[in-house]
Amino acid sequence: MSTDLEGLFAAFSATIGRPAMADTEFGETFRQMMAALVRFDYVVVFAYRGKERPIDLYSTFDPEEHIVFVTLYQAGPYLLDPFYHTARERREGVLRMRELAPDRFFSSEYYRTYYVQTGLAEEIGFFVNAGEDVTIVLSLMRRETTGIFPPAEFMTLRKVEPLVTDMVRHYWSGLAPRFDAQLAAGGRSRRKPGQTGNIPPADAVWRDLNLTSRETAIVELVLQGHSSESIGLKLNISTGTVKVHRRNVYRKLGISSQTQLLSLYLKNLS
């Protein structure tokens, strides 16, 4: 598509003389800027910090779509999302979902039970490190009926990335107190008798399932969509050893499939 200069200038004008902007205001400014450059169907912006529940800063979904893309996502599936893991790695730039996904992601139980509900053909994210261990991801999404982003539009997004990064760091800095408040509130509701401190939900799952650290690492990678071969490479162990650990985990948990593993995981997470 051709660049809509009038729309682009209008978006920029909204920032002139504005030292600060509310989440919705800046989110809408970002949407207008992107709409002047490329075609997309949805925008969603999440802030991530460690294993904590992501904070939704802005989105363009209707109420029904919001349940799938935001509410359900924050309830647990985010822990298996390639974008979440890339944010935890503190990577930056404009990145495609299909380039970040593990080798078995599109045949994983997570993909079949959650991601297909989104009906997306492609998702591209601007990954911005905003300080204090916070990474902000601004996602542009295209439905299956729209198709993937053409190479020319992807290159346009890469060219505008430095500007987006500077604007995000200016208008969405200082998010750490929001995460602190969220973690404190969650810790009060999840804490068991005699337990001290706040435990992120992702860690509480494995504590409650009584898995070893090695079993935990393998199960997390299985649920993310990694094959036994990929897990072996990441953990520097043989494929055979990975398979032995997987069988032991299934026996310990009394399950026999990845479907049951994901169901148990989400049940304990909630």
Side-chain angles (χ1 to χ4, degrees):
M1 62 174 279
S2 58
T3 301
D4 176 8
L5 293 178
E6 183 176 343
L8 189 62
F9 294 155
F12 275 125
S13 68
T15 67
I16 296 176
R18 302 287 299 277
M21 297 176 75
D23 293 347
T24 302
E25 289 180 298
F26 180 62
E28 180 59 19
T29 297
F30 171 75
R31 185 201 65 78
Q32 292 176 1
M33 288 174 55
M34 295 300 102
L37 299 172
V38 300
R39 181 185 177 190
F40 55 87
D41 296 304
Y42 306 116
V43 176
V44 63
V45 183
F46 282 107
Y48 299 89
R49 187 177 75 171
K51 290 186 176 181
E52 297 168 51
R53 180 177 179 269
I55 295 174
D56 57 312
L57 298 174
Y58 173 81
S59 70
T60 59
F61 307 120
D62 65 30
E64 185 174 341
E65 293 164 341
H66 192 274
I67 293 174
V68 174
F69 285 94
V70 179
T71 306
L72 180 58
Y73 177 80
Q74 290 177 306
Y78 74 89
L79 291 163
L80 306 176
D81 179 21
F83 272 24
Y84 158 76
H85 287 282
T86 302
R88 283 194 62 197
E89 293 168 1
R90 307 289 284 161
R91 290 181 60 183
E92 293 190 285
V94 181
L95 305 170
R96 297 177 184 265
M97 170 68 79
R98 65 174 183 261
E99 295 172 345
L100 302 175
D103 59 343
R104 296 287 175 81
F105 175 76
F106 295 101
S107 61
S108 68
E109 196 60 34
Y110 165 75
Y111 179 81
R112 292 195 296 266
T113 59
Y114 171 73
Y115 201 83
V116 292
Q117 296 183 56
T118 65
L120 296 180
E122 184 165 47
E123 182 176 0
I124 291 177
F126 289 86
F127 288 73
V128 181
N129 293 341
E132 299 179 285
D133 201 32
V134 174
T135 297
I136 297 173
V137 182
L138 306 91
S139 296
L140 302 179
M141 302 170 165
R142 291 179 65 149
R143 294 190 297 255
E144 292 177 350
T145 52
T146 306
I148 66 174
F149 288 85
E153 293 191 6
F154 181 65
M155 291 304 299
T156 297
L157 295 177
R158 294 187 65 179
K159 290 177 181 178
V160 78
E161 184 264 335
L163 173 61
V164 171
T165 295
D166 288 344
M167 294 180 70
V168 168
R169 287 175 176 164
H170 179 76
Y171 289 110
W172 266 323
S173 62
L175 294 180
R178 294 202 213 178
F179 279 101
D180 294 339
Q182 175 180 268
L183 189 59
R188 286 193 295 271
S189 64
R190 295 177 62 88
R191 193 173 300 152
K192 294 183 178 182
Q195 179 182 314
T196 59
N198 297 328
I199 300 177
D203 292 331
V205 170
W206 305 126
R207 177 203 62 199
D208 294 341
L209 293 179
N210 296 317
L211 300 184
T212 68
S213 58
R214 176 65 82 187
E215 290 170 342
T216 294
I218 289 175
V219 168
E220 284 185 342
L221 292 170
V222 167
L223 290 174
Q224 291 166 33
H226 288 272
S227 66
S228 293
E229 293 78 8
S230 176
I231 294 172
L233 290 172
K234 290 183 73 68
L235 300 182
N236 196 29
I237 57 178
S238 71
T239 300
T241 299
V242 173
K243 292 179 179 179
V244 169
H245 279 298
R246 290 182 65 171
R247 287 196 296 268
N248 289 340
V249 169
Y250 280 29
R251 183 173 62 251
K252 180 183 291 189
L253 299 179
I255 60 177
S256 59
S257 68
Q258 190 179 138
T259 302
Q260 292 174 303
L261 178 63
L262 179 62
S263 177
L264 183 63
Y265 175 71
L266 294 178
K267 178 181 178 181
N268 277 271
L269 188 65
S270 62

